[in-house]
Amino acid sequence: MIQVFHSIAELRAARAAAQPASVGFVPTMGALHEGHASLARRAIAENALTIVSIFVNPTQFGPNEDYNRYPRTLEADCALLETIGGDIWVFAPNAAEMYPTPLAAMQLSFSVRELDKKLCGLSRPGHFNGMLQVVAILFNIVQPTRAYFGEKDYQQCALVRCMVSELHFPLEIVPCDIVREADGLAMSSRNRYLSAEERTQALALSRTMQLVRENRVVLDTPAHAQSWVKTALQAYPQIVLDYFEILESSNLSPIEDLDTAKEPRMFIAAYLGKTRLIDNMLL
Ligand code: AMP
């Protein structure tokens, strides 16, 4: 059964009254799809109570990003969660509930030494500060035993792990596999922005990474692979590459030589029209 909470006080009171042996938490921005559902399913299997938050967090969007047009589909989201079965509490606060202090007056922010100075951190200044802010607030409200994050947002997962470890949040981060459409496109709430032609071309992101994987023997360094990818994507006029990088999975550190790398992972971000998509894959 799905139970929806809009207020922090009500959620906290209900959690205190229920005294669940364990709480699995799935933070989302809504517009739920099978990727989110896979996280919720795992949370249900591993915990006495599952809480899914649905909150489009204003502090993680840049001034020219899609905060205003980001899909808000609470009813459909609850319907999708209902199909999973099991007891799920949906926490869907509004911005005033989450941020009683006006955003411009907020004093606290997250400064990260290294992990956010690359990949999406360079293209989306302030994004990871806002993300860590809301995740810390949500952890504090929900007090989960385990929190489930998709590897689709691999850098986000790495940053959250780092925050949890350094701030001693008493919870476990559970990374979950990327869920893809049948043709290989990573599922994303933003896929619904794509025109038919953009949707077709978007497939080149995962396909190109697969090709790099298949040609690993000849693509011996990240720089070599990067220039190969840039050339390959020129066949897709609707794709504007933001970045393609190969970094170590464990700490996102740079790699010189693919042969000596431990767990090299490819990261890609690209614009299709106004839509920015990201994906990643182990090499
Ligand atoms: P979002 O609503 O986009 O902020 O995502 C909420 C959570 O769902 C994050 O932990 C994402 O990494 C995860 N997620 C989004 N898309 C996918 C996907 N295709 N596969 C697995 N997890 C996903």
Side-chain angles (χ1 to χ4, degrees):
M1 210 186 77
I2 307 292
Q3 224 176 312
V4 181
F5 297 85
H6 296 289
S7 102
I8 296 169
E10 278 169 20
L11 180 78
R12 280 193 158 141
R15 193 196 183 297
Q19 298 203 338
S22 60
V23 174
F25 179 42
V26 182
T28 82
M29 298 206 299
L32 302 185
H33 49 66
E34 188 49 38
H36 300 112
S38 72
L39 272 52
R41 258 187 229 109
R42 180 132 179 224
I44 289 169
E46 297 176 355
N47 299 278
L49 171 68
T50 291
I51 301 181
V52 175
S53 67
I54 296 181
F55 178 61
V56 184
N57 172 38
T59 71
Q60 70 189 70
F61 287 80
N64 298 317
E65 293 186 347
D66 54 344
Y67 175 68
N68 286 324
R69 74 174 181 132
Y70 199 87
R72 289 155 171 89
T73 58
L74 183 59
E75 243 178 74
D77 292 346
C78 290
L80 184 133
L81 293 174
E82 192 94 58
T83 65
I84 296 177
D87 283 335
I88 301 180
W89 291 3
V90 171
F91 178 49
N94 64 22
E97 179 76 2
M98 287 291 278
Y99 298 109
T101 306
L103 296 182
M106 279 180 69
Q107 300 289 317
L108 286 177
S109 68
F110 284 85
S111 160
V112 180
R113 196 155 56 91
E114 292 286 344
L115 277 177
D116 70 344
K117 306 283 184 296
K118 53 187 78 183
L119 304 176
C120 292
L122 299 178
S123 327
R124 304 186 66 189
H127 166 67
F128 286 125
N129 168 45
M131 181 279 291
L132 289 173
Q133 205 168 35
V134 79
V135 170
I137 294 169
L138 287 167
F139 283 173
N140 196 31
I141 294 168
V142 172
Q143 309 216 346
T145 317
R146 301 180 188 88
Y148 296 79
F149 285 84
E151 291 200 329
K152 157 84 174 16
D153 301 275
Y154 197 91
Q155 189 176 14
Q156 163 172 291
C157 218
L159 278 154
V160 170
R161 267 174 192 275
C162 164
M163 175 179 78
V164 162
S165 153
E166 295 191 4
L167 291 181
H168 298 268
F169 273 102
L171 60 95
E172 180 194 345
I173 298 296
V174 184
C176 302
D177 288 345
I178 301 177
V179 178
R180 298 178 178 281
E181 301 286 356
D183 60 7
L185 177 70
M187 288 193 185
S188 163
S189 305
R190 291 188 167 99
N191 289 351
R192 65 180 74 191
Y193 296 151
L194 302 172
S195 69
E197 181 53 28
E198 287 167 350
R199 170 67 182 79
T200 306
Q201 298 209 3
L203 199 49
L205 303 184
S206 56
R207 285 260 165 91
T208 305
M209 286 195 290
Q210 271 159 4
L211 286 172
V212 173
R213 203 190 238 172
E214 286 161 22
N215 290 295
R216 179 171 171 168
V217 190
V218 280
L219 299 172
D220 50 351
T221 65
H224 193 177
Q226 194 176 49
S227 74
W228 188 87
V229 165
K230 280 184 184 161
T231 309
L233 289 178
Q234 279 168 8
Y236 303 90
Q238 310 240 9
I239 296 183
V240 177
L241 185 66
D242 180 7
Y243 62 70
F244 172 84
E245 302 223 21
I246 304 178
L247 303 171
E248 273 299 350
S249 293
S250 63
N251 55 7
L252 303 184
S253 63
I255 287 170
E256 291 295 323
D257 185 345
L258 293 179
D259 287 336
T260 53
K262 285 201 195 83
E263 238 190 336
R265 181 175 290 267
M266 298 171 277
F267 296 88
I268 196 164
Y271 291 91
L272 286 106
K274 284 184 178 164
T275 307
R276 187 171 180 282
L277 299 181
I278 59 171
D279 198 354
N280 70 88
M281 205 178 275
L282 208 54
L283 187 55

